[in-house]
Amino acid sequence: MGRTTNMGRNGGDHRQSRAADGVMPVQLPDAEWQHNHGLKSVLAALDDVYGGPRYVGGAVRDTLLGLPVSDIDIATALLPDDVINRLEAAGIKAIPTGVEHGTVTAALAGKNYEITTLRRDVATDGRRATVAFSTDWQEDAARRDFTINALYVDPQSGEVFDYFDGLSDLEARRLRFIGDANQRIAEDFLRILRYFRFLARYGGGQIDAGAIEACANGAHGLTALSRERIAQELSRILGLKNPVASVDLMIQNGIFTPFLPELSKSAADHLKQLVQREAQFKQPVSLPARFLALLTRDIVATDKVAARLKLSNKMREGFGHRLRAGVPTPFNVRAIAYGADIDTARDAAMLYAVDEDVPECLAQLEQWDIPTLSIKGGELISMGLPPGPLVAKTLQAIDAAWIEQDFPDTARQREIAVQMVNAALAVDNQSN
């Protein structure tokens, strides 16, 4: 693996010191995650002469926005083998999760920290990149996707290193590709979907028309990606609190066309309605419901989508249950839950119930446990039914009547059973 080196007093950092210009450097706000003892041990093991290690990416971005941080990524000029050796020497477990691309995971005290060596792209084909390792921080920043993801922080001083005006973009809630958007997308077509995901989560300012055009022009390249990568990124988009505006832009610009021809003509409106109902009735985000909001109400077509995107069997089966539920009402929503589960019934109501029925449908499911019919075949035999197919047929009739009467208690179940047994015996006697 090749390596470029551009050393100097700042270890290859071309960014002129803001302090030297009389401008106070931006400091990362203090946050609880920075005080983790395991993290401090990892940082101490990676100390080098190149100005690192540094925090990079999501932890920096989200801390600047005052958002919670879950994953902590670290950039270093040290080569992967050196990273592994140093971690192990410090008693820290080192996992070579993507060592050919410079990534090592440090596992300590129940937490994982992803550590990646500074890189530059040597070759790309829209799906993967061949990289060379570097000691140049700006060169590493230049290969990242968006300006707001190319922010680095010195853990000791808290100074933010910003090579492409990402701080201004973050403040303006503006999402920009680094450099030429068409080139960034050609390097990895998944960046199209990432663009709309980050737009949904961090956008809100002026839309970059050039970026949208580049995404539209490169959408054909999504066919080169694995279905799993597409499904994972689409799931992340749909799992956000409110992806409606981003999804609408995706539809308008033909982003779904290469991989989701089953998209409903009313997908944007259906998703908007679902998201509004979630907010109005304080319901959690349901990924199966979000997916179905985009698709035609065709079980066969939807199953093809699930197969093509290699969604889980649980998700695939869940699509079918929700579509077969029909139109939920306050009078049948518990029956839908009984035939599938509470989540299926709730999603069906959120998706397909008329506006005035949604509150009562949800109320019917609130704090309701799916009951079990207490009547068994042996009890029907003791009532006089001959063993055999008639027992199973009568049990089905009892179950249907029990559901229709909204799942009455055990005493009423027995009354229904007696009625059904007597009716079955009468028919059986007539046939004989």
Side-chain angles (χ1 to χ4, degrees), residues 304-323:
K304 287 181 179 178
V305 171
R308 185 187 314 124
L309 295 182
K310 298 185 178 180
L311 300 178
S312 68
N313 288 335
K314 182 179 179 180
M315 180 83 79
R316 190 172 179 176
E317 292 169 2
F319 286 168
H321 291 319
R322 287 158 176 78
L323 288 169

Side-chain angles (χ1 to χ4, degrees), residues 205-279:
Q206 184 176 359
I207 301 293
D208 185 341
I212 298 293
E213 183 180 2
C215 289
N217 291 340
H220 64 87
L222 292 169
T223 59
L225 301 177
S226 71
R227 301 299 96 176
E228 292 93 339
R229 291 185 78 196
I230 288 177
Q232 183 181 53
E233 199 60 39
L234 182 57
S235 297
R236 288 172 174 172
I237 293 171
L238 294 177
L240 293 173
K241 183 178 180 180
N242 189 352
V244 173
S246 259
V247 169
D248 194 20
L249 274 174
M250 292 172 70
I251 294 170
Q252 292 176 34
N253 289 278
I255 306 302
F256 287 104
T257 303
F259 66 91
L260 203 64
E262 298 84 358
L263 191 76
S264 167
K265 293 180 179 178
S266 303
D269 291 336
H270 291 162
L271 182 62
K272 181 178 180 180
Q273 180 189 61
L274 175 61
V275 171
Q276 287 176 338
R277 286 179 172 183
E278 289 168 352

Side-chain angles (χ1 to χ4, degrees), residues 33 58-59 62 67-73 111-113 201:
W33 64 266
D62 290 349
L67 299 174
V69 168
S70 55
D71 299 322
I72 301 168
D73 294 336
K111 292 185 178 295
N112 291 340
Y113 305 97
R201 187 174 183 193

Side-chain angles (χ1 to χ4, degrees), residues 127-192:
R127 293 178 297 172
R128 62 184 68 85
T130 301
V131 301
F133 299 135
S134 171
T135 59
D136 189 318
W137 293 93
Q138 183 162 343
E139 192 171 51
D140 185 73
R143 70 175 302 278
R144 294 179 179 269
D145 47 12
F146 311 119
T147 61
I148 64 172
N149 289 340
L151 299 169
Y152 301 72
V153 168
D154 182 331
Q156 294 185 10
S157 68
E159 180 179 358
V160 178
F161 294 81
D162 179 11
Y163 302 96
F164 297 101
D165 210 19
L167 288 169
S168 296
D169 289 335
L170 202 61
E171 184 177 4
R173 294 288 181 144
R174 180 175 55 235
L175 188 62
R176 278 193 311 120
F177 282 98
I178 292 173
D180 179 74
N182 291 286
Q183 181 182 342
R184 292 281 84 78
I185 288 170
E187 292 166 354
D188 184 354
F189 290 110
L190 192 69
R191 284 174 172 170
I192 295 172

